[in-house]
Amino acid sequence: MKLSQLRAIVAVADCGNFSEAALELQLSQPAISHAIATLEEELGVPYICERSSRCCADTCWRAHFVSCASSNAASKDDATRSKLA
């Protein structure tokens, strides 16, 4: 599990779709899709995000996972900022 994957899933949850998340993270939409698909495969979870043509719908895994991912990504960002200070 990579920090970039956690950031991708948090961005998709916040934005509601892959395209907006890609803009927010300054990545391509396929890069976001690949990061999340890889994470789903690593975790053995079929769909963290249920994909449709317009949005990323909630799944049973999403709320719990996004909460954990947000906390972990924020902790990593805080630790990085502390090292730079």
Side-chain angles (χ1 to χ4, degrees):
M1 185 180 311
K2 298 178 182 175
L3 184 58
S4 60
Q5 293 169 313
L6 297 178
R7 286 188 177 127
I9 190 68
V10 170
V12 170
D14 288 346
C15 295
N17 65 59
F18 286 65
S19 297
E20 291 294 321
L23 288 173
E24 182 177 307
L25 295 176
Q26 299 179 345
L27 297 171
S28 68
Q29 184 274 327
I32 297 292
S33 294
H34 178 72
I36 292 174
T38 302
L39 183 60
E40 290 169 338
E41 186 176 311
E42 287 175 12
L43 296 174
V45 176
Y47 296 106
I48 294 172
C49 285
E50 185 70 46
R51 289 128 172 107
S52 75
S53 61
R54 297 225 175 236
C55 66
C56 178
D58 284 335
T59 65
C60 61
W61 294 99
R62 183 174 161 188
H64 175 72
F65 187 81
V66 168
S67 174
C68 294
S70 294
S71 296
N72 287 327
S75 294
K76 178 72 172 180
D77 289 341
D78 289 346
T80 301
R81 279 192 288 275
S82 294
K83 286 181 182 180
L84 296 175

